[in-house]
Amino acid sequence: AQSVTQLDSQVPVFEEAPVELRCNYSSSVSVYLFWYVQYPNQGLQLLLKYLSGSTLVKGINGFEAEFNKSQTSFHLRKPSVHISDTAEYFCAVKEVDSSYKLIFGSGTRLLVRP
Amino acid sequence: DAEITQSPRHKITETGRQVTLACHQTWNHNNMFWYRQDLGHGLRLIHYSYGVQDTNKGEVSDGYSVSRSNTEDLPLTLESAASSQTSVYFCASRGPSTDTQYFGPGTRLTVL
């Protein structure tokens, strides 16, 4: 069975500072990886995804993530955050060639301070 | 524009009552999902459907049911609401040529 671990429940950071949100997964088969963002009182929207190819994936709003198969990680990064990036971020995994079910991590709340 | 909607957005009910949450998508997606979101747990899958007349249990399906009579709708029913079902519920859909799920705005349910 797959699982996703987001070790940091909350990450406070000052505006214009870089940030990294950590995500580790476990699976016995190949997986696709996703980051979703949830702004206050809204649903989730896709930030970026890794399906295959280059391990560095670029998403919306200046975010990027790097797939590291040996470390089973898919950390999310942004070189300079804005106040508007304050949100909950979820990492998710889906087995390749399997059902359409996504397994989500518990989420990391990014709190950007002025 | 195609979209996915949920209603109601907020619901307060009493223990033991039957509650139905609506989910409607206009993308004509075959795959639809219901999740609940609780602090510290992220999103957990309740039920999902791969098409009309198809329904499947997720990891937290006890006390919930779904039906799929058409492509656009997947209503979620709580047969006898319990306080443990107080949560935020999200519906999602997925098209045939993408691995991306699209989420609705959510329904906040409070069971007193």
Side-chain angles (χ1 to χ4, degrees), chain A residues 6 9 32 34 36 38-39 41-46 48-49 51 88 90 94-107, chain B residues 9 31 33 35 37-45 48 50 57-59 88 90 94 96 98-106 108:
Chain A
Q6 293 180 249
S9 59
Y32 295 148
F34 305 81
Y36 281 83
Q38 183 182 29
Y39 297 104
N41 300 312
Q42 294 186 27
L44 280 71
Q45 64 183 86
L46 183 68
L48 50 79
K49 61 184 176 182
L51 304 182
E88 190 90 19
F90 292 95
K94 188 191 88 67
E95 286 185 1
V96 175
D97 297 330
S98 183
S99 73
Y100 304 138
K101 292 184 290 183
L102 283 175
I103 305 299
F104 285 87
S106 56
Chain B
R9 294 295 312 278
N31 305 308
F33 309 83
Y35 297 89
Q37 183 182 27
D38 303 288
L39 196 64
H41 289 280
L43 278 78
R44 292 180 291 176
L45 185 63
Y48 58 102
Y50 291 155
K57 294 182 178 180
E59 62 179 310
V88 181
F90 288 99
R94 174 194 180 278
T98 175
D99 286 283
T100 301
Q101 290 189 17
Y102 298 91
F103 286 80
R108 184 174 295 275

Short mmCIF file of all heavy atoms in Angstrom, two decimals, chain A residues 6 9 32 34 36 38-39 41-46 48-49 51 88 90 94-107, chain B residues 9 31 33 35 37-45 48 50 57-59 88 90 94 96 98-106 108:
data_model
loop_
_atom_site.label_atom_id
_atom_site.label_comp_id
_atom_site.label_asym_id
_atom_site.label_seq_id
_atom_site.Cartn_x
_atom_site.Cartn_y
_atom_site.Cartn_z
N GLN A 6 3.98 14.05 5.08
CA GLN A 6 4.39 15.45 5.09
C GLN A 6 4.73 15.76 6.54
O GLN A 6 3.86 15.92 7.38
CB GLN A 6 3.26 16.35 4.58
CG GLN A 6 2.98 16.15 3.10
CD GLN A 6 1.87 17.05 2.60
OE1 GLN A 6 0.77 16.61 2.28
NE2 GLN A 6 2.14 18.34 2.53
N SER A 9 3.76 20.15 9.70
CA SER A 9 2.35 20.53 9.66
C SER A 9 2.19 22.02 9.37
O SER A 9 1.18 22.42 8.79
CB SER A 9 1.68 20.20 11.00
OG SER A 9 2.33 20.88 12.05
N TYR A 32 2.83 8.13 -9.72
CA TYR A 32 2.75 9.51 -10.15
C TYR A 32 2.64 10.36 -8.88
O TYR A 32 2.04 9.94 -7.89
CB TYR A 32 1.53 9.76 -11.03
CG TYR A 32 1.53 9.02 -12.35
CD1 TYR A 32 0.33 8.61 -12.93
CD2 TYR A 32 2.71 8.78 -13.04
CE1 TYR A 32 0.30 7.95 -14.15
CE2 TYR A 32 2.69 8.11 -14.26
CZ TYR A 32 1.49 7.70 -14.81
OH TYR A 32 1.46 7.05 -16.01
N PHE A 34 1.92 14.35 -7.08
CA PHE A 34 1.19 15.60 -7.28
C PHE A 34 1.36 16.50 -6.07
O PHE A 34 1.54 16.03 -4.94
CB PHE A 34 -0.33 15.33 -7.43
CG PHE A 34 -0.68 14.35 -8.52
CD1 PHE A 34 -0.57 12.98 -8.31
CD2 PHE A 34 -1.14 14.80 -9.74
CE1 PHE A 34 -0.90 12.08 -9.30
CE2 PHE A 34 -1.48 13.91 -10.74
CZ PHE A 34 -1.36 12.55 -10.52
N TYR A 36 -0.99 19.66 -4.56
CA TYR A 36 -2.20 20.48 -4.65
C TYR A 36 -2.10 21.61 -3.64
O TYR A 36 -1.50 21.46 -2.56
CB TYR A 36 -3.45 19.66 -4.35
CG TYR A 36 -3.94 18.80 -5.49
CD1 TYR A 36 -3.39 17.55 -5.73
CD2 TYR A 36 -4.97 19.24 -6.32
CE1 TYR A 36 -3.86 16.75 -6.77
CE2 TYR A 36 -5.46 18.45 -7.36
CZ TYR A 36 -4.89 17.22 -7.58
OH TYR A 36 -5.36 16.44 -8.62
N GLN A 38 -4.51 24.49 -1.44
CA GLN A 38 -5.85 24.85 -1.00
C GLN A 38 -5.80 26.20 -0.32
O GLN A 38 -5.25 26.34 0.78
CB GLN A 38 -6.40 23.79 -0.03
CG GLN A 38 -7.82 24.07 0.41
CD GLN A 38 -8.33 23.04 1.41
OE1 GLN A 38 -7.55 22.45 2.16
NE2 GLN A 38 -9.63 22.81 1.40
N TYR A 39 -6.38 27.20 -0.96
CA TYR A 39 -6.48 28.51 -0.35
C TYR A 39 -7.65 28.52 0.62
O TYR A 39 -8.57 27.69 0.50
CB TYR A 39 -6.63 29.59 -1.42
CG TYR A 39 -5.43 29.67 -2.33
CD1 TYR A 39 -5.47 29.15 -3.62
CD2 TYR A 39 -4.23 30.23 -1.88
CE1 TYR A 39 -4.36 29.20 -4.44
CE2 TYR A 39 -3.12 30.27 -2.69
CZ TYR A 39 -3.19 29.75 -3.97
OH TYR A 39 -2.08 29.78 -4.77
N ASN A 41 -10.91 28.46 2.55
CA ASN A 41 -12.32 28.30 2.16
C ASN A 41 -12.52 27.95 0.69
O ASN A 41 -13.55 28.29 0.10
CB ASN A 41 -13.11 29.56 2.51
CG ASN A 41 -13.08 29.86 3.99
OD1 ASN A 41 -13.31 28.98 4.81
ND2 ASN A 41 -12.76 31.08 4.35
N GLN A 42 -11.53 27.32 0.11
CA GLN A 42 -11.66 26.90 -1.28
C GLN A 42 -11.34 25.42 -1.43
O GLN A 42 -10.84 24.78 -0.51
CB GLN A 42 -10.71 27.73 -2.17
CG GLN A 42 -11.07 29.20 -2.24
CD GLN A 42 -10.20 29.94 -3.23
OE1 GLN A 42 -9.69 29.35 -4.21
NE2 GLN A 42 -10.04 31.22 -3.01
N GLY A 43 -11.62 24.89 -2.62
CA GLY A 43 -11.25 23.52 -2.92
C GLY A 43 -9.78 23.43 -3.29
O GLY A 43 -9.05 24.42 -3.25
N LEU A 44 -9.35 22.23 -3.62
CA LEU A 44 -7.95 22.02 -3.98
C LEU A 44 -7.76 22.29 -5.46
O LEU A 44 -8.61 21.97 -6.28
CB LEU A 44 -7.54 20.58 -3.70
CG LEU A 44 -7.18 20.22 -2.26
CD1 LEU A 44 -8.43 20.20 -1.39
CD2 LEU A 44 -6.47 18.88 -2.21
N GLN A 45 -6.60 22.84 -5.80
CA GLN A 45 -6.26 23.00 -7.20
C GLN A 45 -4.85 22.48 -7.44
O GLN A 45 -3.99 22.58 -6.57
CB GLN A 45 -6.39 24.45 -7.67
CG GLN A 45 -5.45 25.43 -7.02
CD GLN A 45 -5.70 26.86 -7.50
OE1 GLN A 45 -6.54 27.57 -6.97
NE2 GLN A 45 -4.97 27.25 -8.53
N LEU A 46 -4.64 21.93 -8.62
CA LEU A 46 -3.36 21.31 -8.93
C LEU A 46 -2.28 22.37 -9.07
O LEU A 46 -2.43 23.34 -9.81
CB LEU A 46 -3.48 20.51 -10.22
CG LEU A 46 -2.23 19.75 -10.63
CD1 LEU A 46 -1.95 18.62 -9.64
CD2 LEU A 46 -2.38 19.19 -12.04
N LEU A 48 1.27 21.23 -9.44
CA LEU A 48 2.17 20.58 -10.39
C LEU A 48 2.06 19.07 -10.23
O LEU A 48 1.50 18.59 -9.24
CB LEU A 48 3.62 21.04 -10.22
CG LEU A 48 4.24 21.02 -8.82
CD1 LEU A 48 4.66 19.63 -8.41
CD2 LEU A 48 5.43 21.97 -8.75
N LYS A 49 2.63 18.35 -11.21
CA LYS A 49 2.60 16.89 -11.14
C LYS A 49 3.81 16.30 -11.84
O LYS A 49 4.36 16.91 -12.77
CB LYS A 49 1.32 16.34 -11.77
CG LYS A 49 1.15 16.69 -13.25
CD LYS A 49 -0.18 16.18 -13.77
CE LYS A 49 -0.41 16.61 -15.22
NZ LYS A 49 -1.74 16.16 -15.73
N LEU A 51 4.81 12.87 -13.82
CA LEU A 51 4.35 11.62 -14.41
C LEU A 51 5.53 10.81 -14.93
O LEU A 51 5.60 9.59 -14.73
CB LEU A 51 3.36 11.90 -15.54
CG LEU A 51 2.12 12.74 -15.17
CD1 LEU A 51 1.19 12.89 -16.37
CD2 LEU A 51 1.36 12.10 -14.01
N GLU A 88 -2.76 25.94 2.38
CA GLU A 88 -2.44 24.56 2.77
C GLU A 88 -1.97 23.84 1.51
O GLU A 88 -2.59 23.97 0.44
CB GLU A 88 -3.70 23.88 3.32
CG GLU A 88 -3.45 22.53 3.96
CD GLU A 88 -3.14 22.63 5.45
OE1 GLU A 88 -3.46 23.68 6.04
OE2 GLU A 88 -2.60 21.66 6.01
N PHE A 90 -0.86 20.13 -0.20
CA PHE A 90 -1.00 18.68 -0.06
C PHE A 90 -0.19 17.96 -1.13
O PHE A 90 -0.31 18.27 -2.32
CB PHE A 90 -2.47 18.26 -0.19
CG PHE A 90 -3.34 18.72 0.92
CD1 PHE A 90 -4.07 19.89 0.81
CD2 PHE A 90 -3.44 17.99 2.10
CE1 PHE A 90 -4.88 20.34 1.84
CE2 PHE A 90 -4.26 18.42 3.13
CZ PHE A 90 -4.97 19.59 3.01
N LYS A 94 -0.26 8.47 -6.74
CA LYS A 94 -1.16 7.54 -7.42
C LYS A 94 -0.32 6.48 -8.09
O LYS A 94 0.68 6.79 -8.73
CB LYS A 94 -2.00 8.25 -8.47
CG LYS A 94 -3.09 7.38 -9.08
CD LYS A 94 -3.72 8.04 -10.29
CE LYS A 94 -2.97 7.72 -11.56
NZ LYS A 94 -3.05 6.32 -11.97
N GLU A 95 -0.72 5.22 -7.94
CA GLU A 95 0.00 4.16 -8.61
C GLU A 95 -0.15 4.28 -10.12
O GLU A 95 -1.23 4.55 -10.62
CB GLU A 95 -0.55 2.80 -8.19
CG GLU A 95 -0.16 2.35 -6.80
CD GLU A 95 -0.62 0.94 -6.49
OE1 GLU A 95 -1.23 0.31 -7.39
OE2 GLU A 95 -0.40 0.47 -5.37
N VAL A 96 0.96 4.04 -10.83
CA VAL A 96 0.92 3.98 -12.28
C VAL A 96 0.18 2.71 -12.69
O VAL A 96 0.31 1.68 -12.05
CB VAL A 96 2.34 3.97 -12.87
CG1 VAL A 96 2.31 3.80 -14.37
CG2 VAL A 96 3.10 5.22 -12.49
N ASP A 97 -0.60 2.80 -13.75
CA ASP A 97 -1.32 1.63 -14.29
C ASP A 97 -2.22 0.99 -13.27
O ASP A 97 -2.40 -0.23 -13.25
CB ASP A 97 -0.34 0.59 -14.82
CG ASP A 97 0.47 1.14 -15.97
OD1 ASP A 97 -0.06 2.00 -16.70
OD2 ASP A 97 1.62 0.72 -16.14
N SER A 98 -2.77 1.78 -12.39
CA SER A 98 -3.68 1.24 -11.38
C SER A 98 -4.94 2.08 -11.36
O SER A 98 -5.26 2.78 -12.28
CB SER A 98 -2.99 1.21 -10.03
OG SER A 98 -3.82 0.64 -9.05
N SER A 99 -5.63 2.00 -10.27
CA SER A 99 -6.88 2.74 -10.15
C SER A 99 -6.60 4.24 -10.18
O SER A 99 -5.45 4.67 -10.20
CB SER A 99 -7.58 2.38 -8.85
OG SER A 99 -6.90 2.95 -7.77
N TYR A 100 -7.66 4.99 -10.15
CA TYR A 100 -7.50 6.44 -10.22
C TYR A 100 -7.41 7.07 -8.84
O TYR A 100 -7.45 8.27 -8.69
CB TYR A 100 -8.68 7.04 -10.99
CG TYR A 100 -8.85 6.45 -12.36
CD1 TYR A 100 -10.11 6.15 -12.86
CD2 TYR A 100 -7.75 6.20 -13.17
CE1 TYR A 100 -10.27 5.61 -14.12
CE2 TYR A 100 -7.90 5.65 -14.42
CZ TYR A 100 -9.15 5.36 -14.90
OH TYR A 100 -9.31 4.82 -16.15
N LYS A 101 -7.28 6.26 -7.82
CA LYS A 101 -7.29 6.78 -6.46
C LYS A 101 -6.01 7.54 -6.13
O LYS A 101 -4.91 7.08 -6.39
CB LYS A 101 -7.48 5.63 -5.46
CG LYS A 101 -8.85 4.99 -5.53
CD LYS A 101 -9.01 3.94 -4.47
CE LYS A 101 -8.16 2.73 -4.75
NZ LYS A 101 -8.36 1.66 -3.75
N LEU A 102 -6.20 8.70 -5.52
CA LEU A 102 -5.10 9.48 -5.00
C LEU A 102 -4.98 9.24 -3.51
O LEU A 102 -5.98 9.21 -2.80
CB LEU A 102 -5.33 10.97 -5.24
CG LEU A 102 -5.10 11.54 -6.63
CD1 LEU A 102 -5.52 13.01 -6.65
CD2 LEU A 102 -3.65 11.39 -7.04
N ILE A 103 -3.74 9.10 -3.03
CA ILE A 103 -3.49 9.04 -1.60
C ILE A 103 -2.81 10.34 -1.20
O ILE A 103 -1.77 10.70 -1.76
CB ILE A 103 -2.58 7.85 -1.24
CG1 ILE A 103 -3.17 6.54 -1.77
CG2 ILE A 103 -2.36 7.79 0.27
CD1 ILE A 103 -4.52 6.20 -1.20
N PHE A 104 -3.42 11.05 -0.24
CA PHE A 104 -2.94 12.36 0.16
C PHE A 104 -2.13 12.30 1.45
O PHE A 104 -2.38 11.47 2.32
CB PHE A 104 -4.11 13.31 0.39
CG PHE A 104 -4.77 13.79 -0.87
CD1 PHE A 104 -5.78 13.06 -1.48
CD2 PHE A 104 -4.37 14.98 -1.46
CE1 PHE A 104 -6.38 13.51 -2.65
CE2 PHE A 104 -4.98 15.44 -2.62
CZ PHE A 104 -5.97 14.70 -3.22
N GLY A 105 -1.18 13.22 1.55
CA GLY A 105 -0.52 13.47 2.82
C GLY A 105 -1.42 14.32 3.70
O GLY A 105 -2.50 14.76 3.28
N SER A 106 -0.98 14.55 4.92
CA SER A 106 -1.80 15.27 5.90
C SER A 106 -1.79 16.78 5.71
O SER A 106 -2.54 17.49 6.36
CB SER A 106 -1.36 14.92 7.31
OG SER A 106 0.02 15.19 7.46
N GLY A 107 -0.94 17.26 4.81
CA GLY A 107 -0.93 18.68 4.50
C GLY A 107 0.10 19.47 5.29
O GLY A 107 0.47 19.13 6.41
N ARG B 9 -23.16 24.44 0.59
CA ARG B 9 -21.78 24.76 0.99
C ARG B 9 -21.61 24.59 2.49
O ARG B 9 -20.51 24.27 2.95
CB ARG B 9 -21.42 26.18 0.59
CG ARG B 9 -21.36 26.41 -0.91
CD ARG B 9 -20.23 25.61 -1.59
NE ARG B 9 -18.97 25.73 -0.91
CZ ARG B 9 -18.13 26.74 -1.07
NH1 ARG B 9 -18.43 27.72 -1.90
NH2 ARG B 9 -16.99 26.78 -0.42
N ASN B 31 -15.06 9.57 -14.15
CA ASN B 31 -14.54 9.24 -12.81
C ASN B 31 -14.87 10.36 -11.82
O ASN B 31 -14.52 11.51 -12.05
CB ASN B 31 -13.03 9.06 -12.88
CG ASN B 31 -12.64 8.04 -13.91
OD1 ASN B 31 -13.15 6.93 -13.90
ND2 ASN B 31 -11.75 8.42 -14.82
N PHE B 33 -15.21 11.26 -7.39
CA PHE B 33 -14.69 10.86 -6.08
C PHE B 33 -15.30 11.72 -4.98
O PHE B 33 -15.57 12.90 -5.20
CB PHE B 33 -13.17 11.04 -6.04
CG PHE B 33 -12.44 10.42 -7.19
CD1 PHE B 33 -12.33 11.09 -8.39
CD2 PHE B 33 -11.87 9.17 -7.06
CE1 PHE B 33 -11.65 10.52 -9.47
CE2 PHE B 33 -11.19 8.59 -8.13
CZ PHE B 33 -11.08 9.26 -9.32
N TYR B 35 -14.25 12.82 -0.98
CA TYR B 35 -13.25 12.81 0.08
C TYR B 35 -13.81 13.55 1.29
O TYR B 35 -14.65 14.44 1.17
CB TYR B 35 -11.98 13.54 -0.35
CG TYR B 35 -11.23 12.94 -1.51
CD1 TYR B 35 -11.54 13.30 -2.82
CD2 TYR B 35 -10.19 12.05 -1.29
CE1 TYR B 35 -10.83 12.77 -3.89
CE2 TYR B 35 -9.48 11.51 -2.35
CZ TYR B 35 -9.81 11.88 -3.65
OH TYR B 35 -9.09 11.36 -4.70
N GLN B 37 -12.15 15.81 4.58
CA GLN B 37 -10.93 16.46 5.03
C GLN B 37 -11.02 16.75 6.52
O GLN B 37 -11.91 17.50 6.96
CB GLN B 37 -10.68 17.76 4.27
CG GLN B 37 -9.38 18.44 4.66
CD GLN B 37 -9.15 19.75 3.94
OE1 GLN B 37 -10.09 20.43 3.54
NE2 GLN B 37 -7.90 20.11 3.74
N ASP B 38 -10.10 16.21 7.27
CA ASP B 38 -10.05 16.42 8.71
C ASP B 38 -8.64 16.83 9.10
O ASP B 38 -7.66 16.33 8.53
CB ASP B 38 -10.43 15.13 9.45
CG ASP B 38 -11.80 14.63 9.04
OD1 ASP B 38 -12.79 15.27 9.44
OD2 ASP B 38 -11.89 13.62 8.31
N LEU B 39 -8.55 17.67 10.10
CA LEU B 39 -7.25 18.16 10.54
C LEU B 39 -6.34 17.01 10.91
O LEU B 39 -6.73 16.10 11.64
CB LEU B 39 -7.46 19.08 11.75
CG LEU B 39 -6.29 19.98 12.13
CD1 LEU B 39 -6.00 20.96 11.01
CD2 LEU B 39 -6.57 20.72 13.43
N GLY B 40 -5.14 17.05 10.35
CA GLY B 40 -4.16 16.02 10.67
C GLY B 40 -4.26 14.77 9.81
O GLY B 40 -3.41 13.89 9.90
N HIS B 41 -5.32 14.69 9.00
CA HIS B 41 -5.51 13.50 8.16
C HIS B 41 -5.45 13.81 6.67
O HIS B 41 -5.47 12.91 5.85
CB HIS B 41 -6.86 12.85 8.46
CG HIS B 41 -6.91 12.19 9.80
ND1 HIS B 41 -6.37 10.94 10.03
CD2 HIS B 41 -7.41 12.60 10.98
CE1 HIS B 41 -6.57 10.62 11.30
NE2 HIS B 41 -7.18 11.61 11.89
N GLY B 42 -5.39 15.05 6.29
CA GLY B 42 -5.44 15.35 4.87
C GLY B 42 -6.79 14.98 4.31
O GLY B 42 -7.82 15.09 4.98
N LEU B 43 -6.82 14.50 3.08
CA LEU B 43 -8.05 14.06 2.45
C LEU B 43 -8.08 12.54 2.41
O LEU B 43 -7.11 11.90 2.02
CB LEU B 43 -8.16 14.61 1.02
CG LEU B 43 -8.67 16.02 0.88
CD1 LEU B 43 -7.59 17.02 1.22
CD2 LEU B 43 -9.19 16.25 -0.53
N ARG B 44 -9.21 11.98 2.79
CA ARG B 44 -9.39 10.54 2.76
C ARG B 44 -10.56 10.18 1.87
O ARG B 44 -11.62 10.81 1.93
CB ARG B 44 -9.60 10.00 4.19
CG ARG B 44 -8.37 10.11 5.07
CD ARG B 44 -8.63 9.58 6.47
NE ARG B 44 -9.55 10.43 7.21
CZ ARG B 44 -10.00 10.14 8.42
NH1 ARG B 44 -9.64 9.01 9.01
NH2 ARG B 44 -10.82 10.97 9.04
N LEU B 45 -10.36 9.15 1.07
CA LEU B 45 -11.34 8.76 0.06
C LEU B 45 -12.51 8.01 0.71
O LEU B 45 -12.32 7.04 1.45
CB LEU B 45 -10.67 7.88 -0.99
CG LEU B 45 -11.50 7.45 -2.18
CD1 LEU B 45 -11.93 8.66 -3.01
CD2 LEU B 45 -10.69 6.48 -3.04
N TYR B 48 -15.96 6.18 -4.65
CA TYR B 48 -15.64 6.67 -5.98
C TYR B 48 -16.43 5.89 -7.02
O TYR B 48 -16.95 4.79 -6.74
CB TYR B 48 -14.13 6.60 -6.26
CG TYR B 48 -13.51 5.23 -6.15
CD1 TYR B 48 -13.21 4.47 -7.27
CD2 TYR B 48 -13.17 4.72 -4.89
CE1 TYR B 48 -12.62 3.24 -7.15
CE2 TYR B 48 -12.58 3.47 -4.77
CZ TYR B 48 -12.30 2.74 -5.89
OH TYR B 48 -11.71 1.51 -5.78
N TYR B 50 -16.50 4.97 -11.40
CA TYR B 50 -15.83 5.03 -12.69
C TYR B 50 -16.83 5.25 -13.84
O TYR B 50 -16.42 5.29 -15.00
CB TYR B 50 -15.03 3.75 -12.95
CG TYR B 50 -13.81 3.60 -12.08
CD1 TYR B 50 -13.28 2.33 -11.82
CD2 TYR B 50 -13.19 4.69 -11.49
CE1 TYR B 50 -12.16 2.17 -11.02
CE2 TYR B 50 -12.07 4.54 -10.69
CZ TYR B 50 -11.56 3.27 -10.46
OH TYR B 50 -10.46 3.11 -9.67
N LYS B 57 -16.12 1.41 -2.75
CA LYS B 57 -15.81 1.94 -1.43
C LYS B 57 -14.37 2.41 -1.36
O LYS B 57 -13.47 1.76 -1.90
CB LYS B 57 -16.05 0.85 -0.38
CG LYS B 57 -17.51 0.46 -0.23
CD LYS B 57 -17.68 -0.59 0.87
CE LYS B 57 -19.15 -0.94 1.04
NZ LYS B 57 -19.34 -1.96 2.11
N GLY B 58 -14.18 3.51 -0.66
CA GLY B 58 -12.85 4.00 -0.37
C GLY B 58 -12.40 3.55 1.00
O GLY B 58 -12.95 2.62 1.58
N GLU B 59 -11.43 4.24 1.57
CA GLU B 59 -10.84 3.82 2.84
C GLU B 59 -11.70 4.15 4.05
O GLU B 59 -11.54 3.54 5.11
CB GLU B 59 -9.45 4.43 3.00
CG GLU B 59 -9.44 5.94 3.03
CD GLU B 59 -8.05 6.53 3.22
OE1 GLU B 59 -7.34 6.06 4.15
OE2 GLU B 59 -7.67 7.43 2.46
N VAL B 88 -15.25 18.47 6.47
CA VAL B 88 -15.42 19.16 5.19
C VAL B 88 -15.34 18.10 4.10
O VAL B 88 -14.40 17.30 4.07
CB VAL B 88 -14.35 20.24 4.97
CG1 VAL B 88 -14.58 20.94 3.63
CG2 VAL B 88 -14.37 21.25 6.10
N PHE B 90 -15.26 17.02 0.07
CA PHE B 90 -14.90 17.47 -1.27
C PHE B 90 -15.25 16.40 -2.29
O PHE B 90 -14.99 15.22 -2.11
CB PHE B 90 -13.40 17.76 -1.37
CG PHE B 90 -12.99 19.00 -0.65
CD1 PHE B 90 -12.43 18.94 0.61
CD2 PHE B 90 -13.17 20.25 -1.24
CE1 PHE B 90 -12.05 20.09 1.29
CE2 PHE B 90 -12.79 21.41 -0.57
CZ PHE B 90 -12.23 21.33 0.69
N ARG B 94 -12.41 13.34 -12.69
CA ARG B 94 -11.21 13.13 -13.49
C ARG B 94 -11.62 12.69 -14.88
O ARG B 94 -12.47 11.81 -15.03
CB ARG B 94 -10.34 12.06 -12.86
CG ARG B 94 -9.11 11.64 -13.67
CD ARG B 94 -8.55 10.37 -13.09
NE ARG B 94 -7.38 9.90 -13.82
CZ ARG B 94 -7.42 9.21 -14.95
NH1 ARG B 94 -8.57 8.91 -15.52
NH2 ARG B 94 -6.30 8.80 -15.52
N PRO B 96 -10.74 11.20 -18.90
CA PRO B 96 -10.13 9.95 -19.37
C PRO B 96 -8.68 10.08 -19.80
O PRO B 96 -7.95 9.11 -19.81
CB PRO B 96 -11.00 9.58 -20.58
CG PRO B 96 -11.54 10.87 -21.07
CD PRO B 96 -11.74 11.72 -19.85
N THR B 98 -6.30 12.28 -18.55
CA THR B 98 -5.48 13.07 -17.64
C THR B 98 -5.42 12.38 -16.29
O THR B 98 -6.32 11.64 -15.92
CB THR B 98 -6.04 14.49 -17.47
OG1 THR B 98 -5.25 15.17 -16.48
CG2 THR B 98 -7.47 14.46 -16.99
N ASP B 99 -4.32 12.60 -15.57
CA ASP B 99 -4.25 12.07 -14.22
C ASP B 99 -4.62 13.11 -13.19
O ASP B 99 -4.45 12.90 -12.00
CB ASP B 99 -2.83 11.55 -13.95
CG ASP B 99 -2.58 10.25 -14.68
OD1 ASP B 99 -3.08 9.22 -14.18
OD2 ASP B 99 -1.92 10.27 -15.73
N THR B 100 -5.13 14.22 -13.63
CA THR B 100 -5.48 15.32 -12.73
C THR B 100 -6.92 15.19 -12.27
O THR B 100 -7.82 15.01 -13.08
CB THR B 100 -5.29 16.66 -13.44
OG1 THR B 100 -3.94 16.78 -13.86
CG2 THR B 100 -5.64 17.81 -12.52
N GLN B 101 -7.12 15.31 -10.96
CA GLN B 101 -8.47 15.39 -10.42
C GLN B 101 -8.81 16.85 -10.18
O GLN B 101 -7.98 17.63 -9.71
CB GLN B 101 -8.57 14.60 -9.11
CG GLN B 101 -8.48 13.10 -9.31
CD GLN B 101 -8.80 12.31 -8.05
OE1 GLN B 101 -9.39 12.83 -7.10
NE2 GLN B 101 -8.42 11.05 -8.05
N TYR B 102 -10.05 17.22 -10.50
CA TYR B 102 -10.54 18.58 -10.33
C TYR B 102 -11.53 18.58 -9.17
O TYR B 102 -12.46 17.78 -9.15
CB TYR B 102 -11.19 19.08 -11.60
CG TYR B 102 -10.23 19.15 -12.76
CD1 TYR B 102 -10.06 18.07 -13.61
CD2 TYR B 102 -9.45 20.29 -12.97
CE1 TYR B 102 -9.15 18.12 -14.65
CE2 TYR B 102 -8.55 20.34 -14.02
CZ TYR B 102 -8.40 19.26 -14.85
OH TYR B 102 -7.50 19.30 -15.88
N PHE B 103 -11.32 19.50 -8.23
CA PHE B 103 -12.08 19.49 -6.99
C PHE B 103 -13.15 20.56 -6.96
O PHE B 103 -12.97 21.66 -7.49
CB PHE B 103 -11.14 19.70 -5.80
CG PHE B 103 -10.33 18.49 -5.48
CD1 PHE B 103 -9.19 18.18 -6.21
CD2 PHE B 103 -10.71 17.65 -4.44
CE1 PHE B 103 -8.44 17.05 -5.91
CE2 PHE B 103 -9.97 16.52 -4.13
CZ PHE B 103 -8.83 16.22 -4.87
N GLY B 104 -14.25 20.22 -6.30
CA GLY B 104 -15.27 21.20 -6.03
C GLY B 104 -14.88 22.08 -4.85
O GLY B 104 -13.85 21.86 -4.23
N PRO B 105 -15.73 23.07 -4.50
CA PRO B 105 -15.39 24.03 -3.45
C PRO B 105 -15.57 23.48 -2.04
O PRO B 105 -15.12 24.11 -1.08
CB PRO B 105 -16.37 25.18 -3.71
CG PRO B 105 -17.54 24.52 -4.35
CD PRO B 105 -16.98 23.41 -5.18
N GLY B 106 -16.21 22.33 -1.89
CA GLY B 106 -16.37 21.72 -0.58
C GLY B 106 -17.69 22.02 0.09
O GLY B 106 -18.34 23.04 -0.19
N ARG B 108 -19.10 22.10 4.11
CA ARG B 108 -18.77 21.97 5.53
C ARG B 108 -20.00 21.43 6.25
O ARG B 108 -21.03 22.09 6.30
CB ARG B 108 -18.36 23.32 6.11
CG ARG B 108 -17.92 23.25 7.56
CD ARG B 108 -17.38 24.58 8.04
NE ARG B 108 -16.17 24.96 7.35
CZ ARG B 108 -14.95 24.57 7.69
NH1 ARG B 108 -14.79 23.77 8.72
NH2 ARG B 108 -13.91 25.00 7.02
#
